[in-house]
Amino acid sequence: MKRILLVATVATFTMGFAQADGAADYANGGCVGCHGATGISTIPTYPNLAGQNAAYTAKQLKDFRTGARKDPTMNAMAAMIIGKEQSIADFLAAQK
Ligand code: HEC
């Protein structure tokens, strides 16, 4: 069931956005639950990512992965999207 939902979510993203790969990478990465489908978080302690400069976002994701920036949650999440930092950052930069 969870898998079906995920596939449906990814399909929706792929059809709905020009930056299809980044959208799928973002959805597949499990980011949506905390940062929202388009990078607008519904939980105040989770940062909004929509419209952020892509270079900044990509750097944060790499820093979370290497541990240069420390946050237990994001250190774990960044390890799941290795190589997809830039596509996700580009997708988020294009959101409003
Ligand atoms: C369990 C909730 C959770 C999940 C899942 C999650 N994040 Fe985060 N994210 C956070 C929190 C909390 C922070 C703030 C960390 C801090 O205080 O340094 C954060 C910070 C970030 C930042 C830095 C924002 C800034 O303004 O510096 C980026 C970029 C980011 N997350 C991207 C992602 C991506 C991409 C994914 C999916 C691979 C993801 N997050 C999954 C909770 C989450």
Side-chain angles (χ1 to χ4, degrees):
M1 188 60 188
K2 213 173 174 187
R3 188 174 291 268
I4 293 167
L5 276 177
L6 188 65
V7 170
T9 307
V10 172
T12 306
F13 271 94
T14 307
M15 291 183 296
F17 295 98
Q19 308 256 345
D21 291 344
D25 291 340
Y26 178 75
N28 284 332
C31 321
V32 173
C34 291
H35 293 291
T38 60
I40 302 292
S41 170
T42 53
I43 301 159
T45 50
Y46 298 158
N48 292 334
L49 307 175
Q52 183 57 269
N53 291 316
Y56 172 83
T57 298
K59 181 177 189 300
Q60 300 318 303
L61 292 173
K62 285 170 190 159
D63 285 352
F64 280 130
R65 169 160 54 78
T66 62
R69 179 171 172 181
K70 294 192 197 321
D71 177 72
T73 302
M74 283 310 304
N75 291 147
M77 293 308 299
M80 320 243 273
I81 52 146
I82 294 172
K84 297 173 179 166
E85 295 89 350
Q86 192 63 54
S87 69
I88 289 174
D90 289 341
F91 163 72
L92 289 167
Q95 306 307 303
K96 290 176 192 158

